[in-house]
Amino acid sequence: MRITLQSGNIPAPKFRYSPCVKIGSSYQVSGMVALDPASGTLVAGGPAAETACILSNLQRALPDYGLGLDDLLIARIYTTRMDAFVDINSAWEAVFTADRVPPARTSVGVSALPLGACVEIEFSFVKSEASII
Amino acid sequence: MRITLQSGNIPAPKFRYSPCVKIGSSYQVSGMVALDPASGTLVAGGPAAETACILSNLQRALPDYGLGLDDLLIARIYTTRMDAFVDINSAWEAVFTADRVPPARTSVGVSALPLGACVEIEFSFVKSEASII
Amino acid sequence: MRITLQSGNIPAPKFRYSPCVKIGSSYQVSGMVALDPASGTLVAGGPAAETACILSNLQRALPDYGLGLDDLLIARIYTTRMDAFVDINSAWEAVFTADRVPPARTSVGVSALPLGACVEIEFSFVKSEASII
């Protein structure tokens, strides 16, 4: 059965979808853009700031989803600013530090994103039976 | 083992891939563009019409896949017309009505889609053990 | 628990992510661009050559991941050259021949890809309990 998971620590979606859905051991987080937790609007500052905000919001929400970063299977990064990929990558590496096993990742340069964002990241988690027990 | 699932209610793929694949409890529907069930060609009418057609075709095929909309984990919307996102969203909300728990969703603006489509949607389903039993 | 899978038969990732991650029965391969196994740099030759290289590298790595092509759920093709989709498709059909059940597939035209590639493909695998036993 599909269960919707919500967190009061991040802005609610602007459209009709669930921020995170759980079916069995699969947890799927919808594509996130960089919404300021206080104002609910897109943060200023471009690719680096948006990436840092998305990863910060994810970490704020994960406890409410019953997940940790170690359950992350893959992150899919969409950006309208592939020319600033080095900045996106630096923000990524500030969270996924060299001392931890990184998840899989796919990065794609696109033409437009919701709310005028320049970075959007989607996250797929799987909770293995071992970690459920 | 990979099982391919087909439906006689929607046009067959134009290329060599399976419209829906099942492995274990994961059911993956290939990216769908808005093919008219009668003619097999792209429907006219733009973003709203294409979105409505894709969601209609999905619902026509689901019984043959052994799935229901409640098994949907995430829909990934790709569009060359992010400027018409409000129309895509209206067509979405006509199916995913306010009285049901919505799936996760990711929306991305892209530069081109197969067959000249302006909307393509990919669907990932998971059938939990509870719903299989 | 997240396990990172590596293969010495293909170039290592240029950024901090795992080439393939396993959690439970889900195996997720990161988006691959066409890196020459000998030089580690992007192959020349455009869409057809890049697609063939990616699929060749995938097949070189699969034994180290404990996977076969029959475990492939879906391939997601991103290309900056949707105008050359026929060439990409030919390279695809050279691997996914008519005598085997094809996986699901999603194809999207995008504006830019890492390392200046014109084709990137992401692969999601699931190993069913039947094939694990």
Side-chain angles (χ1 to χ4, degrees):
Chain A
M1 207 179 68
R2 180 166 64 211
I3 298 168
T4 185
L5 301 171
Q6 316 238 16
S7 171
N9 295 329
I10 58 169
K14 305 291 186 190
F15 304 101
R16 193 175 295 156
Y17 61 83
S18 293
C20 182
V21 167
K22 168 182 172 11
I23 306 180
S25 58
S26 296
Y27 295 70
Q28 180 63 53
V29 174
S30 295
M32 297 173 74
V33 295
L35 300 182
D36 185 288
S39 68
T41 58
L42 196 72
V43 299
E50 292 191 21
T51 304
C53 173
I54 292 167
L55 294 175
S56 166
N57 280 355
L58 177 73
Q59 290 173 286
R60 293 164 63 97
L62 284 184
D64 291 327
Y65 299 162
L67 294 170
L69 276 187
D70 287 345
D71 302 311
L72 178 56
L73 188 69
I74 185 168
R76 296 182 174 97
I77 302 178
Y78 302 99
T79 180
T80 58
R81 293 287 311 280
M82 191 56 99
D83 63 299
F85 189 63
V86 63
D87 299 323
I88 294 170
N89 213 44
S90 295
W92 169 273
E93 294 189 350
V95 172
F96 296 99
T97 45
D99 57 330
R100 59 201 311 168
V101 172
R105 194 178 81 171
T106 293
S107 301
V108 178
V110 298
S111 53
L113 290 169
L115 310 178
C118 65
V119 178
E120 177 177 1
I121 313 182
E122 184 202 288
F123 303 93
S124 295
F125 291 80
V126 176
K127 197 124 180 165
S128 63
E129 286 178 41
S131 34
I132 290 173
I133 292 166
Chain B
M1 207 179 68
R2 179 167 66 212
I3 298 167
T4 184
L5 301 171
Q6 315 237 17
S7 171
N9 295 329
I10 57 169
K14 305 293 186 190
F15 304 101
R16 193 175 294 155
Y17 61 83
S18 292
C20 182
V21 166
K22 167 181 171 14
I23 304 180
S25 58
S26 295
Y27 294 69
Q28 181 62 54
V29 174
S30 295
M32 297 174 75
V33 294
L35 299 181
D36 185 288
S39 68
T41 58
L42 196 72
V43 299
E50 291 191 23
T51 304
C53 173
I54 292 167
L55 294 175
S56 167
N57 280 356
L58 177 73
Q59 291 174 285
R60 292 164 64 98
L62 284 184
D64 290 328
Y65 299 162
L67 294 170
L69 277 186
D70 288 345
D71 302 310
L72 179 55
L73 188 69
I74 184 168
R76 297 182 174 96
I77 302 178
Y78 302 99
T79 181
T80 59
R81 293 287 310 279
M82 191 56 98
D83 63 297
F85 190 64
V86 63
D87 298 324
I88 293 169
N89 213 44
S90 294
W92 169 273
E93 294 189 350
V95 172
F96 297 98
T97 45
D99 57 329
R100 58 199 311 167
V101 173
R105 192 178 82 172
T106 293
S107 301
V108 178
V110 297
S111 53
L113 291 169
L115 309 178
C118 64
V119 179
E120 177 176 1
I121 313 183
E122 184 202 288
F123 303 93
S124 294
F125 292 80
V126 177
K127 198 124 178 163
S128 64
E129 287 178 41
S131 34
I132 289 172
I133 291 165
Chain C
M1 207 180 69
R2 179 167 66 210
I3 298 167
T4 184
L5 301 171
Q6 315 239 17
S7 171
N9 295 327
I10 58 169
K14 304 292 186 191
F15 304 102
R16 193 175 294 156
Y17 61 84
S18 293
C20 182
V21 167
K22 167 179 169 18
I23 304 181
S25 58
S26 296
Y27 294 68
Q28 180 63 54
V29 175
S30 295
M32 297 173 74
V33 294
L35 300 182
D36 185 288
S39 68
T41 58
L42 196 72
V43 300
E50 292 191 21
T51 304
C53 173
I54 293 167
L55 295 175
S56 167
N57 280 355
L58 177 72
Q59 291 173 284
R60 292 164 63 97
L62 284 184
D64 290 328
Y65 299 163
L67 294 170
L69 276 186
D70 288 346
D71 302 311
L72 178 56
L73 189 70
I74 184 168
R76 297 182 175 98
I77 302 177
Y78 302 98
T79 181
T80 59
R81 292 288 310 280
M82 191 56 99
D83 62 298
F85 190 63
V86 64
D87 299 324
I88 293 170
N89 213 46
S90 295
W92 169 273
E93 295 189 350
V95 172
F96 297 99
T97 45
D99 58 329
R100 59 200 310 167
V101 172
R105 194 178 80 172
T106 293
S107 301
V108 178
V110 297
S111 52
L113 291 169
L115 309 178
C118 65
V119 179
E120 177 177 0
I121 314 184
E122 183 202 288
F123 303 92
S124 295
F125 292 80
V126 177
K127 198 123 180 165
S128 65
E129 287 178 41
S131 33
I132 289 171
I133 293 165

